[in-house]
Amino acid sequence: MTEGNFVDYVKIHINSGNGGKGSAHLHREKYVAKGGPDGGDGGRGGHVILRGNKNLWTLFHLKFKRHVKAGHGEHGSKQRSTGADGEDQYIDVPLGTVVRDTETQEILHEITEDGQEIVIAEGGKGGLGNWNFKSSVNQTPRYAQPGIPGEEVDVTLELKILADVGLVGFPNAGKSTLLSVITAAKPKIADYEFTTLKPNLGIVQYRDFKTFVVADIPGIIEGAAEGKGIGHRFLRHIERNSTLLFLVPADAPDIKKQYEILVDELRRYNPEMLDKDRLIAISKSDMLDEELKAELKAELDQNLGAPYLFISSVSQQGLTELKDRLWEMLNKEAV
């Protein structure tokens, strides 16, 4: 999937269908005197329904569909005939989609399972026909109920990627390169910052045909939680990752400081992110000889205070150990 096809935020105006009018018909037949009321009920207006679809990865199919209208209910007719219900409109969305009220930003619903259906806007009820109002004191009612109008609402659909592992790091830390090596994903890779402008997903093939999903989140910079750079637009995707893999390049001026800045940005965006399992990967470690690596390891053991390992996507150094560690962290509760 190209970056231009990745859409994780859309606003939609929704109209459910109006209920049909009830009929005020009076029975007329040649050999039936005073047949009485026989007006049928109006049909229900169509619902607008959100439906989870595991085959979708983005909201791109809704990018140019900003108005969704359900069908109106048919009116009731004679012989107590009920009008047909309005046609329901389904909006298929990927798993991990959050529905917000556009005006208040209140979270209304959340789609997390395939086939899960949530009615966003209910269709209006059909009006009752006049035969419902017949009684001993009102044997010929000449009135019926109108249908109830449908709902009109503006909603924002916001996708939060459902991935097992989220790659977190500064721009140009090697996240896209790592993703391209351990998965079949083909993210854009270049030697300048902010190469990745949209999140990328990849499936890691582990031993015995086991798999887990890794998400490459666009680079975060200091101040991203306040809106600097582009990372703040995608911090929400990290909320759904059960494990966070921090990538810090081996040639960074201060590895500990870079790691602490990244952790602080996550904390300022959502303190609950600090409860997730964390692993630090020192990328581009093929630039280090054994002596430099030993010195760096001694320093990190004393100061870093978090589990880490050395990797190199180019030379594929430490990638097997990385997969093993990630798999253990993802399945520690099952062990």
Side-chain angles (χ1 to χ4, degrees):
M1 179 178 296
T2 64
E3 289 185 349
N5 287 345
F6 184 89
V7 177
D8 61 352
Y9 185 91
V10 295
K11 294 181 179 180
I12 299 180
H13 182 77
I14 289 173
N15 289 94
S16 59
N18 299 331
K21 294 189 297 185
S23 172
H25 188 268
L26 297 176
H27 185 68
R28 293 287 184 268
E29 197 171 344
K30 186 173 182 180
Y31 300 108
V32 178
K34 298 181 180 179
D38 71 342
D41 302 339
R44 169 186 65 78
H47 299 321
V48 178
I49 303 171
L50 207 67
R51 180 170 58 191
N53 187 334
K54 65 180 180 181
N55 297 317
L56 295 176
W57 292 88
T58 174
L59 298 171
F60 177 75
H61 62 295
L62 300 174
K63 183 176 181 180
F64 304 105
K65 188 176 182 181
R66 299 304 176 91
H67 296 269
V68 177
K69 292 184 179 181
H72 299 313
E74 299 285 340
H75 302 321
S77 59
K78 60 183 179 180
Q79 298 179 341
R80 299 186 182 181
S81 295
T82 300
D85 291 342
E87 182 181 1
D88 294 335
Q89 283 290 332
Y90 287 86
I91 305 175
D92 284 345
V93 296
L95 308 188
T97 300
V98 174
V99 187
R100 294 180 183 271
D101 184 296
T102 300
E103 185 176 349
T104 64
Q105 288 301 300
E106 175 188 1
I107 294 179
L108 305 176
H109 304 288
E110 189 172 349
I111 296 289
T112 57
E113 299 177 5
D114 183 45
Q116 178 184 355
E117 295 184 1
I118 294 175
V119 178
I120 298 182
E122 291 189 356
K125 292 182 178 179
L128 297 177
N130 64 344
W131 74 274
N132 292 278
F133 304 108
K134 181 180 177 181
S135 67
S136 60
V137 295
N138 186 11
Q139 296 187 7
T140 314
R142 288 178 167 81
Y143 54 84
Q145 287 182 334
I148 296 177
E151 298 178 348
E152 186 173 355
V153 61
D154 290 300
V155 298
T156 299
L157 302 182
E158 184 179 286
L159 175 62
K160 297 184 179 181
I161 289 177
L162 291 174
D164 300 305
V165 179
L167 299 181
V168 184
F170 282 96
N172 219 20
K175 301 185 297 299
S176 297
T177 304
L178 175 62
L179 188 73
S180 69
V181 171
I182 64 175
T183 75
K186 298 290 186 288
K188 183 179 179 181
I189 300 173
D191 59 354
Y192 54 85
E193 295 186 350
F194 295 115
T195 307
T196 302
L197 299 176
K198 305 287 184 181
N200 292 301
L201 289 179
I203 299 175
V204 177
Q205 301 289 339
Y206 192 59
R207 297 188 177 95
D208 301 324
F209 304 102
K210 299 171 184 175
T211 62
F212 57 92
V213 180
V214 177
D216 168 21
I217 310 300
I220 299 171
I221 64 173
E222 189 171 5
E226 281 75 47
K228 293 183 180 179
I230 62 171
H232 70 288
R233 291 171 48 197
F234 306 109
L235 282 170
R236 62 175 174 271
H237 294 299
I238 306 174
E239 290 181 294
R240 297 299 174 81
N241 307 142
S242 58
T243 299
L244 300 181
L245 176 61
F246 290 82
L247 253 69
V248 182
D251 58 351
D254 190 329
I255 292 177
K256 179 184 177 184
K257 184 176 180 181
Q258 282 206 7
Y259 168 67
E260 289 176 345
I261 290 174
L262 292 170
V263 171
D264 187 57
E265 290 302 323
L266 299 185
R267 178 191 61 77
R268 289 158 69 184
Y269 179 76
N270 183 352
E272 293 181 3
M273 288 191 183
L274 300 186
D275 297 332
K276 299 179 183 294
D277 292 331
R278 284 177 259 169
L279 177 64
I280 304 171
I282 312 299
S283 63
K284 306 179 183 180
S285 58
D286 54 308
M287 298 186 299
L288 305 175
D289 57 26
E290 291 303 320
E291 184 178 349
L292 280 174
K293 191 178 292 185
E295 292 179 6
L296 188 58
K297 189 175 185 303
E299 181 182 343
L300 295 177
D301 286 341
Q302 187 174 8
N303 300 322
L304 198 55
Y308 70 92
L309 47 79
F310 291 94
I311 68 166
S312 170
S313 301
V314 175
S315 64
Q316 301 199 7
Q317 170 189 338
L319 298 187
T320 300
E321 181 186 357
L322 175 65
K323 293 179 184 179
D324 290 340
R325 292 282 291 274
L326 291 174
W327 181 259
E328 291 174 7
M329 295 170 73
L330 292 171
N331 295 275
K332 63 180 182 180
E333 295 180 359
V335 177

